[in-house]
Amino acid sequence: MPGRDQELGSYYVGVDVGTGSVRAALVDQRGILLAFADQPINQWEPQFNHHEQSSEDIWVACCIVTKKVVQGIDLNQIRGLGFDATCSLVVLDKQFHPLPVNHEGDSHRNIIMWLDHRAVNQVHRINETKHSVLQYVGGVMSVEMQAPKLLWLKENLRETCWDKAGHFFDLPDFLSWKATGVTARSLCSLVCKWTYSAEKGWDDSFWKMVGLEDLVADNYSKIGNQVLPPGTSLGNGLTPEAAKDLGLPAGIAVAASLIDAHAGGLGVIGADVRGHGLACEGQPVTSRLAIICGTSSCHMGISKNPIFVPGVWGPYFSAMVPGFWLNEGGQSVTGKLIDHMVQGHAAFPELQAKATARCYEDESRPWKCQSLKILDINANLRDRLDFAMKYSKCPELSSVAEPHVTGLKLSQDLDDLAILYLATVQAIAFGTRLIIEAMESAGHSISTLFLCGGLGKNPLFVQMHADITGMPVVLSQEVESVLVGAAILGACASGDFASVQEAMARMSKVGKVVFPRREDKRVLPGNFWELMKSTGNENTETGILKKLAHNTAHKWPRQELNVQPGSRTKVLSSIQPCSRNGHIVVITTG
């Protein structure tokens, strides 16, 4: 129920559709959340690597949460509505009815989710073309983008789906269409996931080369021929039908949408940092890197001029902040990886029991943060863990990397789980460090991290990112920064702010700053870091062990690593499946 500082009079609704739930917030002109609601949404996995959802289910959930957050508010005070969502593919027929994206013919399941990897064969063939548009996705297209999914539908569901299709939407664009009846697409979605160019438009030769020449017909009407910058007001605003569904006034401004991670970037990257002792104070916004950490981690860096970074998506013009080029690094399923490592361990039931006994409270994800607090305590047991290091070579792209773990002990107690948990968290942080180094080598200059998303509530995750990158981490005053970003879109569409940049500066607030603990001995020695980066394709278990055997004795400072003569170096390595991905190597000595 809204209850704080309502004197400003103007409010905005932000709606965020994530992987597992829809969330909404009522936000004022200062970026303060006055009300919040969430609603779970269904997912189907009919077979391995196939992940599906329902656009009808998602719209119903949007309506539920929106009605909740505006209870008790004078609806005339609501000025704008903004949507963000995962970059999932929505398929509708020519009359805008759902079409099946599955062999079962279930039209209710008409969304191929962003994390769906059914189109591995198709993306491999697309990448073999080496078409020039691929330079804007780090040189290699991800299986999570829309072109391979479209090709899969054409080759596998020709009669039941492809031939009947009238509209292929990115999920954020589906939501703005549902609210306004306007089929215009957001520049964010089309540039980042569909190969559209803000400067040149669609490239006919690409679609013809990959076997999707059908889409060129009718001036790309099925995938979008009217493209607008995020935050642009759509049509005549909210339609009467959608207004009734959502519990909002007809005609209020509805903004062109954003992908969820980009909304998070919008919600944090423009905050006023004066008085916090940060290097980015007085520097251009291009010195900031937004990291949105939820189911996956996305690394958003902007620049005034286009910068091409191998293995990093972009540059995309005006895809997040108008007038700036965006580079997007990332690690897929980082949040799910932590869940998997913790929940899959034999000691997890004991962890749950201890968390329940200690009566920790976390309304959003009860088991997760409760249990991690206990793991944070156990992970600092120095008698069990002398040194832990993880290495995640995320700028190297691979659509089909498979997970593996080697070097595990037989122990299955809570301390063993804590070590594995700490190793996983640090692995992700080292992946971020590699992404930053790749971006800086290409021309970015980054001094400060702005982190948001569910994992921003995990103190160990945040501190490890500060320690391992050597950069301060800024957390927002409002933890739901993605929703603030969505509300910023609505605020811009309403005309209450002259620009997206002005809205960002007014509605983004610094909450807490976490500085790196430079005295922490777990921070990796420079020559070891260079050794791990130089291993390249030799990062097999045998290759790493040979290098470790030589360098433990001759190169590593023993006082840093507590390595004693004759000690046995143990290696635990894992490859995480991510869209700009690579290896995680965990090393403990003792």
Side-chain angles (χ1 to χ4, degrees):
M1 210 52 159
R4 288 191 284 161
D5 303 320
Q6 299 183 23
E7 72 277 5
L8 289 178
S10 294
Y11 304 110
Y12 316 99
V13 175
V15 178
D16 164 50
V17 179
T19 301
S21 67
V22 175
R23 308 178 308 146
L26 183 72
V27 182
D28 71 13
Q29 288 180 310
R30 296 168 298 174
I32 296 174
L33 266 71
L34 304 175
F36 169 86
D38 64 349
Q39 179 76 14
I41 48 179
N42 292 321
Q43 299 178 47
W44 290 270
E45 189 177 359
Q47 55 184 291
F48 180 66
N49 274 339
H50 289 229
H51 298 269
E52 300 165 5
Q53 288 182 317
S54 162
S55 63
E56 292 178 342
D57 281 0
I58 287 173
W59 181 249
V60 168
C62 289
C63 297
I64 291 171
V65 293
T66 303
K67 286 178 178 176
K68 286 182 179 179
V69 298
V70 299
Q71 287 179 1
I73 279 287
D74 179 357
L75 296 182
N76 293 320
Q77 295 177 283
I78 299 172
R79 299 272 299 150
L81 170 65
F83 291 99
D84 73 77
T86 63
C87 48
S88 300
L89 178 65
V90 183
V91 186
L92 305 177
D93 67 15
K94 296 175 178 63
Q95 289 74 43
F96 296 95
H97 299 139
L99 285 172
V101 295
N102 49 75
H103 291 292
E104 294 80 10
D106 183 356
S107 60
H108 186 66
R109 292 152 38 202
N110 68 316
I111 295 178
I112 299 180
M113 292 181 67
W114 67 271
L115 50 70
D116 185 289
H117 279 210
R118 70 181 68 183
V120 168
N121 177 271
Q122 286 75 16
V123 78
H124 177 69
R125 283 184 275 135
I126 290 172
N127 286 325
E128 283 185 333
T129 68
K130 301 189 183 300
H131 194 280
S132 59
V133 300
L134 299 179
Q135 68 179 315
Y136 289 94
V137 292
V140 181
M141 181 172 284
S142 166
V143 69
E144 294 171 6
M145 292 185 172
Q146 306 300 17
K149 293 175 182 175
L150 292 168
L151 187 56
W152 186 93
L153 289 173
K154 181 177 180 179
E155 294 177 346
N156 291 273
L157 299 177
R158 184 81 189 232
E159 294 182 1
T160 58
C161 179
W162 184 260
D163 288 344
K164 297 178 180 179
H167 307 276
F168 297 101
F169 284 104
D170 227 70
L171 182 53
D173 293 325
F174 165 82
L175 296 171
S176 61
W177 163 75
K178 190 73 174 174
T180 65
V182 176
T183 59
R185 303 319 203 258
S186 168
L187 187 64
C188 175
S189 297
L190 291 198
V191 166
C192 294
K193 307 299 176 185
W194 296 72
T195 75
Y196 186 85
S197 168
E199 297 176 302
K200 303 175 184 177
W202 295 112
D203 188 322
D204 294 357
S205 66
F206 169 74
W207 297 102
K208 293 175 181 178
M209 184 177 290
V210 302
L212 290 170
E213 63 283 346
D214 325 39
L215 300 176
V216 181
D218 300 322
N219 192 27
Y220 294 94
S221 61
K222 290 185 178 181
I223 60 175
N225 53 22
Q226 182 185 6
V227 187
L228 299 173
T232 303
S233 183
L234 294 172
N236 296 317
L238 197 62
T239 65
E241 181 182 0
K244 182 179 179 181
D245 289 345
L246 294 165
L248 297 173
I252 65 167
V254 179
S257 59
L258 279 172
I259 298 168
D260 54 352
H262 301 66
L266 201 68
V268 298
I269 204 169
D272 184 351
V273 299
R274 287 176 294 182
H276 292 277
L278 293 167
C280 65
E281 182 177 342
Q283 294 182 349
V285 70
T286 53
S287 66
R288 307 176 181 193
L289 183 73
I291 307 178
I292 298 83
C293 308
T295 304
S296 293
S297 295
C298 296
H299 304 69
M300 307 290 191
I302 59 177
S303 58
K304 289 299 293 183
N305 297 304
I307 298 175
F308 290 88
V309 185
V312 172
W313 293 346
Y316 304 133
F317 185 67
S318 290
M320 185 173 77
V321 181
F324 288 85
W325 293 84
L326 171 70
N327 282 109
E328 180 186 347
Q331 302 156 289
S332 285
V333 297
T334 47
K336 287 192 93 172
L337 175 65
I338 294 174
D339 288 351
H340 174 75
M341 300 302 271
V342 173
Q343 291 176 301
H345 196 277
F348 179 61
E350 179 187 356
L351 182 65
Q352 284 184 302
K354 286 182 179 288
T356 301
R358 296 192 184 196
C359 299
Y360 290 123
E361 294 183 1
D362 176 73
E363 293 181 0
S364 60
R365 302 188 71 177
W367 79 264
K368 188 172 184 181
C369 289
Q370 297 166 11
S371 304
L372 295 188
K373 290 179 182 180
I374 294 176
L375 284 184
D376 290 351
I377 296 170
N378 284 57
N380 287 318
L381 294 174
R382 303 298 293 173
D383 59 328
R384 291 296 304 275
L385 180 63
D386 295 319
F387 171 78
M389 183 295 263
K390 274 75 41 205
Y391 166 79
S392 177
K393 200 158 188 178
C394 292
E396 287 192 0
L397 289 95
S398 172
S399 300
V400 294
E402 295 181 353
H404 72 270
V405 177
T406 62
L408 289 173
K409 298 184 298 181
L410 293 177
S411 172
Q412 293 183 324
D413 60 17
L414 197 57
D415 288 348
D416 180 66
L417 172 54
I419 292 170
L420 193 60
Y421 159 64
L422 174 63
T424 304
V425 170
Q426 289 185 330
I428 295 166
F430 272 103
T432 292
R433 176 169 167 173
L434 275 167
I435 290 167
I436 292 170
E437 290 190 352
M439 293 177 72
E440 291 191 321
S441 295
H444 283 273
S445 179
I446 298 166
S447 65
T448 309
L449 309 182
F450 287 70
L451 194 147
C452 68
L455 289 174
K457 302 172 187 178
N458 180 340
L460 182 68
F461 186 91
V462 176
Q463 189 66 62
M464 287 299 101
H465 273 72
D467 292 349
I468 288 169
T469 64
M471 295 182 183
V473 177
V474 177
L475 301 175
S476 293
Q477 177 178 304
E478 295 291 350
V479 296
E480 302 295 349
S481 299
V482 175
L483 284 167
V484 172
I488 286 174
L489 294 175
C492 292
S494 74
D496 289 349
F497 295 94
S499 66
V500 170
Q501 288 90 330
E502 181 189 348
M504 287 165 55
R506 287 275 302 277
M507 296 177 70
S508 303
K509 299 286 189 302
V510 174
K512 180 181 179 181
V513 178
V514 177
F515 289 95
R517 301 173 299 183
R518 301 188 185 279
E519 73 281 0
D520 193 332
K521 297 302 182 184
R522 288 176 297 181
V523 176
L524 195 64
N527 50 11
F528 184 79
W529 179 243
E530 293 304 318
L531 166 71
M532 294 308 299
K533 288 200 298 182
S534 69
T535 55
N537 292 331
E538 297 175 15
N539 264 338
T540 61
E541 180 181 353
T542 303
I544 292 171
L545 285 170
K546 286 181 179 179
K547 288 179 179 286
L548 292 177
H550 175 75
N551 288 283
T552 299
H554 299 291
K555 291 187 178 180
W556 294 354
R558 283 183 184 149
Q559 65 273 20
E560 290 278 346
L561 298 179
N562 299 321
V563 176
Q564 302 301 320
S567 66
R568 181 168 175 261
T569 301
K570 301 181 287 278
V571 176
L572 169 64
S573 69
S574 167
I575 296 181
Q576 63 169 322
C578 58
S579 54
R580 282 83 68 205
N581 78 326
H583 324 32
I584 298 173
V585 177
V586 181
I587 299 171
T588 65
T589 65

